[in-house]
PDB file of all heavy atoms in Angstrom:
ATOM      1  N   MET B 172     -11.830   3.472  -6.706  1.00 90.00           N
ATOM      2  CA  MET B 172     -11.256   4.475  -5.807  1.00 90.00           C
ATOM      3  C   MET B 172     -11.940   5.763  -6.009  1.00 90.00           C
ATOM      4  O   MET B 172     -12.608   5.975  -7.032  1.00 90.00           O
ATOM      5  CB  MET B 172      -9.760   4.648  -6.070  1.00 90.00           C
ATOM      6  CG  MET B 172      -9.027   3.419  -6.229  1.00 90.00           C
ATOM      7  SD  MET B 172      -8.482   2.828  -4.636  1.00 90.00           S
ATOM      8  CE  MET B 172      -7.730   1.282  -5.049  1.00 90.00           C
ATOM      9  N   GLN B 174     -11.043   9.789  -6.477  1.00 91.00           N
ATOM     10  CA  GLN B 174      -9.919  10.716  -6.639  1.00 91.00           C
ATOM     11  C   GLN B 174     -10.465  12.157  -6.508  1.00 91.00           C
ATOM     12  O   GLN B 174     -11.354  12.518  -7.221  1.00 91.00           O
ATOM     13  CB  GLN B 174      -9.290  10.500  -8.026  1.00 91.00           C
ATOM     14  CG  GLN B 174      -8.383   9.391  -8.080  1.00 91.00           C
ATOM     15  CD  GLN B 174      -7.876   9.172  -9.538  1.00 91.00           C
ATOM     16  OE1 GLN B 174      -8.404   8.360 -10.240  1.00 91.00           O
ATOM     17  NE2 GLN B 174      -6.831   9.907  -9.868  1.00 91.00           N
ATOM     18  N   GLY B 182       2.478  21.000 -14.734  1.00 79.00           N
ATOM     19  CA  GLY B 182       3.486  19.973 -14.968  1.00 79.00           C
ATOM     20  C   GLY B 182       3.068  18.597 -14.606  1.00 79.00           C
ATOM     21  O   GLY B 182       3.579  17.663 -15.132  1.00 79.00           O
ATOM     22  N   ILE B 183       2.265  18.530 -13.656  1.00 85.00           N
ATOM     23  CA  ILE B 183       1.851  17.180 -13.257  1.00 85.00           C
ATOM     24  C   ILE B 183       0.479  17.234 -12.742  1.00 85.00           C
ATOM     25  O   ILE B 183       0.127  18.322 -12.135  1.00 85.00           O
ATOM     26  CB  ILE B 183       2.872  16.673 -12.141  1.00 85.00           C
ATOM     27  CG1 ILE B 183       2.621  15.213 -11.850  1.00 85.00           C
ATOM     28  CG2 ILE B 183       2.720  17.535 -10.892  1.00 85.00           C
ATOM     29  CD1 ILE B 183       3.770  14.566 -11.108  1.00 85.00           C
ATOM     30  N   SER B 184      -0.319  16.324 -12.933  1.00 86.00           N
ATOM     31  CA  SER B 184      -1.622  16.435 -12.374  1.00 86.00           C
ATOM     32  C   SER B 184      -1.748  15.645 -11.122  1.00 86.00           C
ATOM     33  O   SER B 184      -1.250  14.543 -11.030  1.00 86.00           O
ATOM     34  CB  SER B 184      -2.676  15.917 -13.402  1.00 86.00           C
ATOM     35  OG  SER B 184      -2.352  14.566 -13.728  1.00 86.00           O
ATOM     36  N   SER B 186      -3.817  14.238  -7.706  1.00 90.00           N
ATOM     37  CA  SER B 186      -5.094  13.911  -7.104  1.00 90.00           C
ATOM     38  C   SER B 186      -4.936  13.201  -5.861  1.00 90.00           C
ATOM     39  O   SER B 186      -3.912  12.537  -5.658  1.00 90.00           O
ATOM     40  CB  SER B 186      -5.900  13.090  -8.096  1.00 90.00           C
ATOM     41  OG  SER B 186      -5.246  11.858  -8.417  1.00 90.00           O
ATOM     42  N   VAL B 188      -6.377  10.367  -3.405  1.00 91.00           N
ATOM     43  CA  VAL B 188      -7.067   9.153  -3.639  1.00 91.00           C
ATOM     44  C   VAL B 188      -7.580   8.528  -2.356  1.00 91.00           C
ATOM     45  O   VAL B 188      -6.885   8.500  -1.384  1.00 91.00           O
ATOM     46  CB  VAL B 188      -6.180   8.159  -4.455  1.00 91.00           C
ATOM     47  CG1 VAL B 188      -6.999   6.922  -4.899  1.00 91.00           C
ATOM     48  CG2 VAL B 188      -5.511   8.778  -5.584  1.00 91.00           C
ATOM     49  N   ARG B 190      -9.858   5.239  -0.638  1.00 88.00           N
ATOM     50  CA  ARG B 190     -10.373   3.865  -0.816  1.00 88.00           C
ATOM     51  C   ARG B 190     -11.898   3.992  -0.916  1.00 88.00           C
ATOM     52  O   ARG B 190     -12.529   4.771  -0.187  1.00 88.00           O
ATOM     53  CB  ARG B 190      -9.945   3.109   0.369  1.00 88.00           C
ATOM     54  CG  ARG B 190     -10.139   1.627   0.319  1.00 88.00           C
ATOM     55  CD  ARG B 190      -9.979   1.116   1.794  1.00 88.00           C
ATOM     56  NE  ARG B 190      -8.519   0.999   2.045  1.00 88.00           N
ATOM     57  CZ  ARG B 190      -7.850  -0.091   1.693  1.00 88.00           C
ATOM     58  NH1 ARG B 190      -8.360  -1.034   1.095  1.00 88.00           N
ATOM     59  NH2 ARG B 190      -6.550  -0.176   2.132  1.00 88.00           N
ATOM     60  N   LYS B 193     -14.170   2.635   2.420  1.00 88.00           N
ATOM     61  CA  LYS B 193     -14.030   3.114   3.827  1.00 88.00           C
ATOM     62  C   LYS B 193     -14.816   4.347   4.032  1.00 88.00           C
ATOM     63  O   LYS B 193     -14.622   5.365   3.377  1.00 88.00           O
ATOM     64  CB  LYS B 193     -12.539   3.305   4.153  1.00 88.00           C
ATOM     65  CG  LYS B 193     -12.213   3.526   5.582  1.00 88.00           C
ATOM     66  CD  LYS B 193     -10.762   3.522   5.740  1.00 88.00           C
ATOM     67  CE  LYS B 193     -10.294   3.938   7.127  1.00 88.00           C
ATOM     68  NZ  LYS B 193      -8.832   3.996   7.221  1.00 88.00           N
ATOM     69  N   MET B 203      -7.290  14.524   5.671  1.00 85.00           N
ATOM     70  CA  MET B 203      -6.600  13.889   4.666  1.00 85.00           C
ATOM     71  C   MET B 203      -6.412  14.730   3.438  1.00 85.00           C
ATOM     72  O   MET B 203      -5.429  14.515   2.729  1.00 85.00           O
ATOM     73  CB  MET B 203      -7.384  12.597   4.226  1.00 85.00           C
ATOM     74  CG  MET B 203      -7.264  11.474   5.272  1.00 85.00           C
ATOM     75  SD  MET B 203      -8.256  10.114   4.838  1.00 85.00           S
ATOM     76  CE  MET B 203      -7.760   8.975   6.105  1.00 85.00           C
TER      77      MET B 203
ATOM     78  N   GLN Y 507       1.022  11.670 -13.651  1.00 89.00           N
ATOM     79  CA  GLN Y 507      -0.031  11.982 -12.719  1.00 89.00           C
ATOM     80  C   GLN Y 507       0.355  11.587 -11.376  1.00 89.00           C
ATOM     81  O   GLN Y 507       0.887  10.506 -11.185  1.00 89.00           O
ATOM     82  CB  GLN Y 507      -1.307  11.312 -13.204  1.00 89.00           C
ATOM     83  CG  GLN Y 507      -1.868  11.844 -14.513  1.00 89.00           C
ATOM     84  CD  GLN Y 507      -3.058  10.970 -14.940  1.00 89.00           C
ATOM     85  OE1 GLN Y 507      -3.377   9.918 -14.411  1.00 89.00           O
ATOM     86  NE2 GLN Y 507      -3.710  11.450 -15.949  1.00 89.00           N
ATOM     87  N   MET Y 508      -0.060  12.446 -10.479  1.00 91.00           N
ATOM     88  CA  MET Y 508       0.325  12.125  -9.112  1.00 91.00           C
ATOM     89  C   MET Y 508      -1.019  11.794  -8.324  1.00 91.00           C
ATOM     90  O   MET Y 508      -1.962  12.521  -8.482  1.00 91.00           O
ATOM     91  CB  MET Y 508       0.944  13.326  -8.468  1.00 91.00           C
ATOM     92  CG  MET Y 508       1.171  13.298  -7.017  1.00 91.00           C
ATOM     93  SD  MET Y 508       1.997  14.864  -6.530  1.00 91.00           S
ATOM     94  CE  MET Y 508       2.050  14.714  -4.902  1.00 91.00           C
ATOM     95  N   MET Y 509      -0.968  10.717  -7.562  1.00 91.00           N
ATOM     96  CA  MET Y 509      -2.137  10.354  -6.790  1.00 91.00           C
ATOM     97  C   MET Y 509      -1.784  10.316  -5.337  1.00 91.00           C
ATOM     98  O   MET Y 509      -0.865   9.531  -4.964  1.00 91.00           O
ATOM     99  CB  MET Y 509      -2.666   9.030  -7.325  1.00 91.00           C
ATOM    100  CG  MET Y 509      -2.900   9.077  -8.779  1.00 91.00           C
ATOM    101  SD  MET Y 509      -3.575   7.547  -9.299  1.00 91.00           S
ATOM    102  CE  MET Y 509      -4.992   8.044 -10.030  1.00 91.00           C
ATOM    103  N   VAL Y 510      -2.379  11.144  -4.603  1.00 91.00           N
ATOM    104  CA  VAL Y 510      -2.001  11.189  -3.201  1.00 91.00           C
ATOM    105  C   VAL Y 510      -2.894  10.301  -2.389  1.00 91.00           C
ATOM    106  O   VAL Y 510      -4.147  10.358  -2.485  1.00 91.00           O
ATOM    107  CB  VAL Y 510      -2.226  12.635  -2.703  1.00 91.00           C
ATOM    108  CG1 VAL Y 510      -1.725  12.774  -1.311  1.00 91.00           C
ATOM    109  CG2 VAL Y 510      -1.505  13.609  -3.623  1.00 91.00           C
ATOM    110  N   THR Y 512      -3.822   9.574   1.339  1.00 88.00           N
ATOM    111  CA  THR Y 512      -3.662  10.133   2.678  1.00 88.00           C
ATOM    112  C   THR Y 512      -4.123   9.218   3.738  1.00 88.00           C
ATOM    113  O   THR Y 512      -3.856   9.424   4.910  1.00 88.00           O
ATOM    114  CB  THR Y 512      -4.425  11.455   2.786  1.00 88.00           C
ATOM    115  OG1 THR Y 512      -5.678  11.237   2.326  1.00 88.00           O
ATOM    116  CG2 THR Y 512      -3.747  12.551   1.980  1.00 88.00           C
ATOM    117  N   GLU Y 516      -4.779   2.861   6.467  1.00 87.00           N
ATOM    118  CA  GLU Y 516      -5.216   1.654   5.789  1.00 87.00           C
ATOM    119  C   GLU Y 516      -4.869   1.907   4.319  1.00 87.00           C
ATOM    120  O   GLU Y 516      -5.668   2.234   3.438  1.00 87.00           O
ATOM    121  CB  GLU Y 516      -6.724   1.459   5.841  1.00 87.00           C
ATOM    122  CG  GLU Y 516      -7.278   0.092   5.917  1.00 87.00           C
ATOM    123  CD  GLU Y 516      -8.742   0.086   6.137  1.00 87.00           C
ATOM    124  OE1 GLU Y 516      -9.248   0.961   6.891  1.00 87.00           O
ATOM    125  OE2 GLU Y 516      -9.374  -0.663   5.475  1.00 87.00           O
ATOM    126  N   VAL Y 517      -3.583   1.804   4.043  1.00 89.00           N
ATOM    127  CA  VAL Y 517      -3.108   2.238   2.790  1.00 89.00           C
ATOM    128  C   VAL Y 517      -3.512   1.285   1.686  1.00 89.00           C
ATOM    129  O   VAL Y 517      -3.720   0.136   1.882  1.00 89.00           O
ATOM    130  CB  VAL Y 517      -1.581   2.423   2.869  1.00 89.00           C
ATOM    131  CG1 VAL Y 517      -0.888   1.146   2.631  1.00 89.00           C
ATOM    132  CG2 VAL Y 517      -1.126   3.483   1.888  1.00 89.00           C
ATOM    133  N   PHE Y 518      -3.594   1.786   0.494  1.00 89.00           N
ATOM    134  CA  PHE Y 518      -4.006   0.974  -0.669  1.00 89.00           C
ATOM    135  C   PHE Y 518      -3.447   1.515  -1.948  1.00 89.00           C
ATOM    136  O   PHE Y 518      -2.803   2.626  -1.877  1.00 89.00           O
ATOM    137  CB  PHE Y 518      -5.542   1.032  -0.753  1.00 89.00           C
ATOM    138  CG  PHE Y 518      -6.023   2.455  -0.962  1.00 89.00           C
ATOM    139  CD1 PHE Y 518      -6.324   2.930  -2.243  1.00 89.00           C
ATOM    140  CD2 PHE Y 518      -6.205   3.285   0.044  1.00 89.00           C
ATOM    141  CE1 PHE Y 518      -6.759   4.240  -2.416  1.00 89.00           C
ATOM    142  CE2 PHE Y 518      -6.691   4.595  -0.075  1.00 89.00           C
ATOM    143  CZ  PHE Y 518      -6.980   5.009  -1.388  1.00 89.00           C
ATOM    144  N   VAL Y 519      -3.558   0.788  -3.030  1.00 88.00           N
ATOM    145  CA  VAL Y 519      -2.950   1.274  -4.248  1.00 88.00           C
ATOM    146  C   VAL Y 519      -3.989   2.010  -5.095  1.00 88.00           C
ATOM    147  O   VAL Y 519      -5.019   1.401  -5.408  1.00 88.00           O
ATOM    148  CB  VAL Y 519      -2.347   0.077  -5.037  1.00 88.00           C
ATOM    149  CG1 VAL Y 519      -1.593   0.582  -6.259  1.00 88.00           C
ATOM    150  CG2 VAL Y 519      -1.493  -0.761  -4.114  1.00 88.00           C
ATOM    151  N   GLN Y 542      10.700  16.537 -12.005  1.00 92.00           N
ATOM    152  CA  GLN Y 542       9.771  17.362 -11.291  1.00 92.00           C
ATOM    153  C   GLN Y 542       9.771  17.127  -9.762  1.00 92.00           C
ATOM    154  O   GLN Y 542       9.448  18.002  -8.989  1.00 92.00           O
ATOM    155  CB  GLN Y 542       8.359  17.144 -11.787  1.00 92.00           C
ATOM    156  CG  GLN Y 542       8.140  17.794 -13.095  1.00 92.00           C
ATOM    157  CD  GLN Y 542       6.652  17.857 -13.330  1.00 92.00           C
ATOM    158  OE1 GLN Y 542       5.906  18.330 -12.507  1.00 92.00           O
ATOM    159  NE2 GLN Y 542       6.234  17.434 -14.518  1.00 92.00           N
TER     160      GLN Y 542
END
Side-chain angles (χ1 to χ4, degrees):
Chain B
M172 312 274 173
Q174 279 175 266
I183 189 163
S184 57
S186 59
V188 188
R190 192 191 278 277
K193 190 170 169 184
M203 287 177 171
Chain Y
Q507 290 175 351
M508 170 178 176
M509 305 180 122
V510 186
T512 48
E516 216 178 318
V517 82
F518 60 96
V519 187
Q542 284 197 51

